[in-house]
Amino acid sequence: MSQKIAVDVGHGYVKALSETGERVLFSSLIAPAPAAVDLGEFGNRESVFIDEKPYVVGDAARPYATPLWSRDKATDSDTLRMVLIAAAQLGAVGPVALATGLPLSWFGNQRKAFRDVLMGYGAVIQLPDHPPQRLWFERVRVLPQGVAAAVVVLTNPSYRPGPYVVIDIGYRTTEYLMVSKSAGAKLSYDATQAGSLEIGTHAIAATMSSALEREYHLSFKPAEIESETTVFAYGQAIDLNPIRQQAVETVSNQLRDQLTEILDDRLLKAAGIVLVGGGSGLLAGAFPGAVVVADAQWANAQAYLHA
């Protein structure tokens, strides 16, 4: 019998859930393990082997990898490898029933190709300090991001009937969707008022990087600073907190302006604005009064698993 898992491969983080409640979270970074001198017991034991080829994954890959930026998930080998690794970290062995998703703007054109390439896809995975485990995807379901989360969130009786705006703020993209809840708790979706914006939490680090370059004439890659509180320039310690705070405000304003231009007064006429996704807490200031759902980063993965 196949194990049921859900994997949400975001541009910032991979989130995975099993039907028994296990969770996996790691940065969406992967690169072939670099050549290195053998340091014995002091050496790196963080490599993950896929069919005997070594890779560094997550934060360990930060010095070597570039963020997942491909628009075509079906042809992005790094995305496929990370789905496998997430499944392995959940303990999957043998046949697996996989539920995953795509951004709204890509879903229609890519879901079949993404599903087809994942069906039967597998490998022998060896995690650090673990024996090898062979797994493959026997069944695959691909769902639309944001829509799946809306089903789980808005079916809660605490949400009264009416029109809602569901906003899924991720690392690279932000999904938006107009949802109407009837008195009988049935949900209907307006496909003409749904889509993806090319803005997310990555823009915060990019804005910080530009500010540092203007001030100190040094180039800092966004990946270098997005999880740091201090960097150094010419031996001087630079506190990133005020720079980050200003960047969050800038990106929040950009996000609000873009959605206001698309949805116009629907934002004001909604029964509520519901925020999900890993960036919802950080950029909630864009939408005063909006509800940030509990466990927002896991909303899509939970929805995939329920489906």
Side-chain angles (χ1 to χ4, degrees):
M1 184 176 178
S2 55
Q3 299 152 278
K4 297 176 183 177
I5 68 167
V7 181
D8 178 11
V9 184
H11 292 100
Y13 292 91
V14 177
K15 289 81 64 178
L17 293 171
S18 74
E19 59 183 332
T20 52
E22 289 89 352
R23 290 187 173 194
V24 162
L25 174 71
F26 59 89
S27 300
S28 298
L29 296 168
I30 185 170
V37 174
D38 185 354
L39 296 178
E41 64 181 294
F42 301 103
N44 173 29
R45 291 194 178 94
E46 296 180 323
S47 291
V48 174
F49 289 82
I50 304 176
D51 287 338
E52 300 185 346
K53 294 180 180 179
Y55 294 85
V56 284
V57 180
D59 288 338
R62 199 168 290 281
Y64 318 107
T66 55
L68 289 183
W69 229 243
S70 171
R71 287 179 170 274
D72 189 345
K73 293 293 187 183
T75 61
D76 184 9
S77 56
D78 283 346
T79 292
L80 303 180
R81 291 187 186 109
M82 283 195 282
V83 175
L84 274 178
I85 291 168
Q89 290 189 11
L90 287 173
V93 177
V96 176
L98 170 68
T100 187
L102 287 169
L104 292 180
S105 293
W106 306 352
F107 178 74
N109 293 331
Q110 295 187 23
R111 61 175 170 174
K112 184 180 184 302
F114 195 38
R115 178 183 178 275
D116 288 349
V117 77
L118 284 167
M119 280 289 292
Y121 181 67
V124 175
I125 310 292
Q126 184 168 11
L127 303 173
D129 301 319
H130 284 73
Q133 55 199 99
R134 182 173 180 266
L135 63 102
W136 64 93
F137 300 123
E138 183 181 61
R139 289 184 289 146
V140 178
R141 187 171 186 188
V142 180
L143 297 157
Q145 288 176 205
V147 177
V151 172
V152 173
V153 173
L154 292 179
T155 50
N156 189 309
S158 64
Y159 289 90
R160 64 181 185 260
Y164 289 87
V165 182
V166 177
I167 303 172
D168 178 4
I169 305 175
Y171 184 74
R172 175 185 178 180
T173 63
T174 292
E175 320 298 316
Y176 63 92
L177 174 69
M178 291 295 303
V179 184
S180 292
K181 183 175 183 177
S182 71
K186 182 179 179 181
L187 302 182
S188 58
Y189 308 93
D190 186 348
T192 68
Q193 301 296 326
S196 304
L197 300 175
E198 293 278 337
I199 187 171
T201 56
H202 79 278
I204 297 171
T207 302
M208 293 170 62
S209 176
S210 298
L212 287 167
E213 188 164 1
R214 286 195 304 271
E215 180 70 20
Y216 298 98
H217 308 291
L218 280 176
S219 177
F220 289 89
K221 295 178 182 178
E224 285 183 84
I225 59 177
E226 63 183 0
S227 59
E228 299 295 331
T229 57
T230 305
V231 293
F232 293 88
Y234 313 106
Q236 175 188 352
I238 302 166
D239 181 5
L240 291 179
N241 289 319
I243 300 171
R244 179 173 284 108
Q245 185 176 354
Q246 180 60 52
V248 167
E249 183 176 342
T250 298
V251 176
S252 295
N253 291 337
Q254 291 170 349
L255 177 58
R256 183 185 61 248
D257 291 347
Q258 289 186 36
L259 266 179
T260 300
E261 183 177 353
I262 293 169
L263 297 178
D264 199 17
D265 59 1
R266 291 177 181 84
L267 281 170
L268 302 177
K269 294 178 178 178
I273 299 173
V274 180
L275 303 182
V276 300
S280 56
L282 198 56
L283 295 177
F287 308 101
V291 174
V292 179
V293 303
D295 228 9
Q297 188 170 39
W298 293 88
N300 279 308
Q302 290 170 334
Y304 301 159
L305 191 63
H306 290 167

